[in-house]
Every structure is written in structure tokens, then in C-alpha cells.
Amino acid sequence: MFKRKMTGLVFGSMLLLAVSAATTGRSKDCPNFCPLHYDPMCGSDGTTYSNRCFLNIANCRDQSVQLVGEGPCPPKIECPVKCNRQLEPVCGTDGITYDNDCMLLMTTCQNPAIQLDYAGPCVECPTGCPKHFKPVCGNNGVTYPNRCLLNVAKCKDPSIELETYGRCSHSKMFKNV
């Protein structure tokens, strides 16, 4: 009696899985169930899967789906087709000034490495300074050979200010900026 019930239960379960696989178009070799713990995984299809098990099921059904990284996928960016001509300059991480956020976003869609650096036009730091030696001390404790080289450093790091004329008392040595 027990053996007959078990056989019926196993057969019924197999039939249910086969019907489920046939009606949903899923491969019968792919699992259908996963634990419900949340440990997000980003798939190459741009989908955030709840955990590795769900990603593995997606890969089983479509082998082009691969793990891109642990954690949720970054939000998908809606790429603009055209932008308005409003002039609100922004500086990209590529050092180029874009007319507005939309123009930068069009570039970001083509090259995700290019992002917003800061609002406003990009500032070009001076590159040529005289070679005369009139040391100045920056508030970062660095002695610069002259005021021009301190200004180059300030251009790259706006927190740097002139502390005093002359060498710093506890000076770090100047490095090319």
C-alpha cells in the first residue's frame, strides 16, 4: 500500500513538472525552484536576479545570460535621440565641455566610461610655468618652486591655497603636477 502511494506521488510529481515545462516552453532539464533569499546578481541581459540560483536558471534557458557582477545591475539609461540647444555647460570626465546634460548623456550612451565630472565648463589648467625659483608654501604642506606651479596644483585640487611665501616649515617636496 505504501509503495503504491509513493509510486503514485512520484509519478504525479513528474507529470506536474513535465506539464509545467511543456506549457511554459522551459527545458525540463532546468530547475524551476530556487531559495527565496536575496543576494542580487547582475546578468549580462541587464536583469538583476534575486540570487545565483535564479541567474543559473536564466542561463540554463538561455546560455547567453552570464554573470556580470555580484549586486544589482546599474539602472538602465534612456539614451536621448536629440537634445535641446539650451546652454548649461557641464564638464565630462573626458575633459570635454558639453552644452548641457543631454549632450553629455548622448556621449555616455556611446561610451559609458565618460560621465559627468562637474557642472560648468571644463577648466584647462595651465601647463607652462617659468623656471624661476621663488618658493611658496601651500596649505597642503607642499613647497612649490613658484606661485605658478602652486596655481597649477590648485587648478587640479581647488582646496589648495597659498599658505605663505617661502618654504613650508615642515615641507613635503614638490612633485610635478
Side-chain angles (χ1 to χ4, degrees):
M1 175 85 170
F2 177 73
K3 187 175 181 179
R4 205 159 106 204
K5 281 186 180 180
M6 276 304 279
T7 304
L9 183 60
V10 169
F11 178 74
S13 297
M14 288 172 50
L15 180 62
L16 178 62
L17 283 173
V19 169
S20 172
T23 58
T24 61
R26 297 176 184 151
S27 168
K28 64 183 176 184
D29 295 334
C30 296
N32 288 320
F33 303 100
C34 286
L36 297 179
H37 71 276
Y38 187 68
D39 184 18
M41 301 284 159
C42 181
S44 57
D45 58 352
T47 301
T48 298
Y49 294 92
S50 296
N51 57 48
R52 190 174 294 273
C53 177
F54 285 104
L55 177 71
N56 290 341
I57 289 175
N59 172 264
C60 181
R61 294 179 184 152
D62 176 0
Q63 291 191 342
S64 70
V65 177
Q66 299 293 319
L67 174 68
V68 172
E70 295 183 3
C73 294
K76 293 179 182 168
I77 298 173
E78 293 291 325
C79 295
V81 177
K82 66 181 197 174
C83 297
N84 65 37
R85 296 198 179 272
Q86 189 169 353
L87 188 60
E88 292 180 356
V90 293
C91 183
T93 53
D94 56 354
I96 295 174
T97 299
Y98 295 88
D99 288 347
N100 53 47
D101 285 331
C102 182
M103 298 295 284
L104 174 62
L105 185 56
M106 286 179 85
T107 302
T108 299
C109 288
Q110 293 172 4
N111 182 354
I114 300 172
Q115 299 289 318
L116 174 68
D117 196 7
Y118 54 87
C122 296
V123 177
E124 288 192 34
C125 296
T127 53
C129 286
K131 303 233 186 264
H132 68 271
F133 188 71
K134 285 183 120 180
V136 292
C137 178
N139 62 346
N140 57 354
V142 175
T143 298
Y144 296 91
N146 57 51
R147 181 75 186 256
C148 179
L149 289 168
L150 176 112
N151 289 338
V152 170
K154 179 181 172 78
C155 181
K156 294 179 180 179
D157 180 357
S159 69
I160 297 175
E161 297 288 337
L162 174 67
E163 184 78 22
T164 61
Y165 289 95
R167 296 177 185 258
C168 300
S169 56
H170 300 290
S171 180
K172 297 176 191 170
M173 295 309 292
F174 167 76
K175 296 175 249 159
N176 273 343
V177 279

